[in-house]
Amino acid sequence: MKRQRSIGRTSALALVLGLSGSLAPGPAVADAPRAPQVRWGTCPEDVVTEAAPTTLQCATVPVPVDYADPGAARIDVMISRLASTNPDKRRGTLMLNPGGPGGSGLALPALLAARGIPAGVLDRYDLIGMDTRGVGHSAPVACGFTEDGPYNANIPPYAVDDAAVTAQAKVAKEAAEQCRSHDRDGVLRHLTTANTARDLDRIRAALGEEKTSYLGYSYGTALGAAYASMFPERSDRVVLDSNIGDTHLDRDGMRRYALGMEQAFPDFAKWAAARHDSYGLGRTPEQVRTTYFTLAERLDKAPVAGVDGSLLRQYTFGLLYKKSQYPKLAQQWQALAGGDEAAARRLRASGPSSSIDNPLAVFAAVTCNDVKWPKDVDTYRNGVAEDRERYPLFGAAAANITPCAFWPYAPAEPPVAIDDDGPRNVLLVQNLRDPATPHEGGKMLRQKFADRSRLLSVDDTGHGAYVLGDNPCALNTTTRYLVEGTMPVKDTLCRAG
């Protein structure tokens, strides 16, 4: 996290997805483009390194900090491009978002190319990556968070009892106060999904495009859904993969992480049971599940080199994102069960090699600015108790209290409402068993977009299906839509490949 970036990436520490006053939302649509206004040049060194051996071009696009006052302060949003080399086939731009909120997307065009995104897509589109407002090279924000500080993950720690919720409330309140005290230039309060969608339209216009296509993963589906709703006639072909269910992440969406883990965990349990002689985690999936609870509860009482049950649960959740991570997860369980302190220290050191401050700050800001969250600690305490029972693997973490309960800024505008009055151009792609964005999220967006959308369900596990997964049907169906514009006639199930 060399720092490897992955879509919806997580680590053991940084698991990165009413009106106030008289502030009114800014204009929805940017002026129609006359000519490209972007000057492409060399990307920053860290992007060059991450994208290698692919060479990307980078540029900046100025956008208002506050769309309600567009003539005031501005910031530069950095974008990247992997240009089509086939002008006869080029259709336009395909904007990309890796999720978060808070994930850097400048190297994403190169990463998708390296993962084998089909040549037909590369011919049809300039792939446009970006650091959205507040992220990385786009006027980055900070709250002063550190890896060894009390607030070091987007998802709260597992609450073993009521006292743990009370303790986390103190941490969450201090985190919100840190963000307020660091917001010296006033940018933090303007990090919202709606404003980022407006930025996308400014970028589209600056690139000289009448419309733009879009591919977003995880939280990127919320951003894409917002763009397709705010600018339906500006959106071309839209693919939303691993959907959170709306244009924003709210408390219900956070709690669905626990549902996702319940649905994804059996795939790992079946895998581990088939390898019992190697890892000793249980001969049946049921025994592997029991091993999880036994190990977590043991670590709650007696941590190994600082690894407690909460960190084990968080680490397990993160490594369920990809089947390729199963061996690493089984190995770590095996080591912790044996009291291996060296292995525990390696786990704690397995987080990102660069600062977690910026991604955590952006995640908190966008999540808290988009929608009102409950402020009463008892609401979270009751939710933790409820979800500990119905989603025992991870419910007492996903329902725990966040900085949004104490956020210093009220939402400036309501969250973006899904607009089902527009072109039929939204393809929803969703694994059936996704630990972070369960299949329910895809069904929710399908209902909200109505006939504008089709749902492509994939009989697979993990976070991310198109290009990131290995299901032939998901790859072929999504590519066919991006390249030829052929939307499935009806909702479709891609069977296990």
Side-chain angles (χ1 to χ4, degrees):
M1 284 195 36
K2 162 174 152 192
R3 178 165 80 145
Q4 181 182 1
R5 293 188 189 272
S6 61
I7 310 302
R9 65 190 180 278
T10 62
S11 75
L13 292 177
L15 286 167
V16 169
L17 299 167
L19 296 174
S20 173
S22 61
L23 183 63
V29 181
D31 294 337
R34 296 180 180 177
Q37 305 161 22
V38 170
R39 293 185 177 182
W40 295 106
T42 303
C43 292
E45 184 176 350
D46 62 321
V47 180
V48 171
T49 300
E50 189 172 3
T54 300
T55 300
L56 302 176
Q57 298 170 302
C58 285
T60 58
V61 176
V63 300
V65 171
D66 181 359
Y67 277 89
D69 188 11
R74 302 171 83 82
I75 56 176
D76 286 335
V77 171
M78 182 170 285
I79 62 176
S80 63
R81 178 177 71 168
L82 180 60
S84 166
T85 57
N86 195 332
D88 291 338
K89 293 185 177 181
R90 183 185 181 277
R91 178 179 181 82
T93 57
L94 179 65
M95 292 188 185
L96 308 172
N97 187 275
S104 173
L106 286 172
L108 186 53
L111 297 180
L112 289 177
R115 289 295 300 262
I117 194 168
V121 177
L122 296 175
D123 285 344
R124 293 299 192 282
Y125 300 99
D126 295 344
L127 301 191
I128 305 296
M130 67 191 71
D131 278 354
T132 54
R133 60 169 52 209
V135 175
H137 293 280
S138 298
V141 297
C143 292
F145 300 137
T146 61
E147 291 182 36
D148 57 357
Y151 184 77
N152 52 35
N154 295 329
I155 303 174
Y158 186 93
V160 296
D161 52 26
D162 285 353
V165 179
T166 301
Q168 176 59 18
K170 181 179 179 181
V171 172
K173 184 176 183 180
E174 291 175 349
E177 291 173 348
Q178 274 187 252
C179 289
R180 180 191 56 77
S181 66
H182 279 73
D183 188 26
R184 299 182 184 92
D185 55 6
V187 171
L188 199 68
R189 70 189 70 188
H190 298 293
L191 301 188
T192 67
T193 300
N195 282 338
T196 303
R198 295 178 179 115
D199 293 346
L200 295 185
D201 208 51
R202 292 289 179 118
I203 294 168
R204 172 203 56 76
L207 291 172
E209 301 288 340
E210 293 185 2
K211 295 183 178 183
T212 184
S213 294
Y214 180 89
L215 168 60
Y217 296 89
S218 196
Y219 164 77
T221 64
L223 177 57
Y227 187 81
S229 297
M230 295 171 70
F231 308 97
E233 300 307 321
R234 301 287 198 196
S235 63
D236 191 10
R237 296 170 183 173
V238 177
V239 175
L240 307 181
D241 187 327
S242 306
N243 296 271
I244 68 173
D246 214 319
T247 62
H248 57 278
L249 179 65
D250 58 12
R251 182 166 178 258
D252 288 340
M254 181 79 82
R255 291 175 76 177
R256 282 194 292 274
Y257 290 171
L259 169 63
M261 185 164 177
E262 292 287 345
Q263 293 175 341
F265 186 86
D267 288 276
F268 169 72
K270 181 179 179 180
W271 179 94
R275 294 158 179 80
H276 171 77
D277 290 346
S278 296
Y279 296 109
L281 303 181
R283 295 188 178 280
T284 66
E286 293 74 18
Q287 289 178 357
V288 174
R289 185 179 175 94
T290 298
T291 297
Y292 171 82
F293 290 119
T294 300
L295 181 57
E297 291 165 7
R298 184 196 308 171
L299 291 171
D300 284 335
K301 298 174 183 177
V304 175
V307 176
D308 59 9
S310 174
L311 190 54
L312 173 78
R313 295 176 177 99
Q314 194 176 62
Y315 184 80
T316 299
F317 173 79
L319 291 193
L320 292 178
Y321 273 43
K322 299 295 175 189
K323 288 181 286 187
S324 61
Q325 296 176 324
Y326 286 0
K328 182 178 180 181
L329 179 57
Q331 182 186 55
Q332 195 67 56
W333 279 25
Q334 189 179 39
L336 290 171
D340 188 334
E341 294 190 0
R345 284 191 288 271
R346 287 194 295 272
L347 185 155
R348 290 190 60 83
S350 65
S353 58
S354 59
S355 173
I356 66 171
D357 188 15
N358 179 235
L360 288 185
V362 174
F363 184 95
V366 175
T367 303
C368 303
N369 288 335
D370 270 357
V371 65
K372 287 184 177 180
W373 284 62
K375 296 185 177 298
D376 182 16
V377 177
D378 282 340
T379 298
Y380 297 90
R381 186 175 288 112
N382 293 336
V384 164
E386 179 181 338
D387 284 3
R388 185 185 291 115
E389 293 298 321
R390 66 174 180 165
Y391 304 131
L393 290 170
F394 202 55
N400 206 351
I401 193 165
T402 77
C404 295
F406 309 98
W407 198 244
Y409 311 118
E413 58 184 307
V416 178
I418 299 291
D419 187 352
D420 63 0
D421 184 14
R424 182 186 297 174
N425 66 342
V426 181
L427 179 61
L428 309 168
V429 184
Q430 194 83 33
N431 282 335
L432 293 181
R433 301 175 300 284
D434 183 322
T437 55
H439 189 253
E440 181 67 19
K443 294 194 293 184
M444 291 170 62
L445 271 190
R446 175 67 175 90
Q447 182 178 26
K448 292 170 183 174
F449 270 119
D451 200 48
R452 285 195 66 186
S453 66
R454 291 292 182 266
L455 175 60
L456 182 66
S457 302
V458 185
D459 186 2
D460 203 355
T461 190
H463 193 49
Y466 181 58
V467 181
L468 307 178
D470 57 6
N471 184 282
C473 166
L475 179 68
N476 293 337
T477 304
T478 307
T479 298
R480 189 178 305 117
Y481 174 56
L482 287 173
V483 173
E484 302 173 7
T486 305
M487 176 82 78
V489 176
K490 59 182 180 179
D491 294 345
T492 302
L493 172 65
C494 284
R495 302 192 181 280

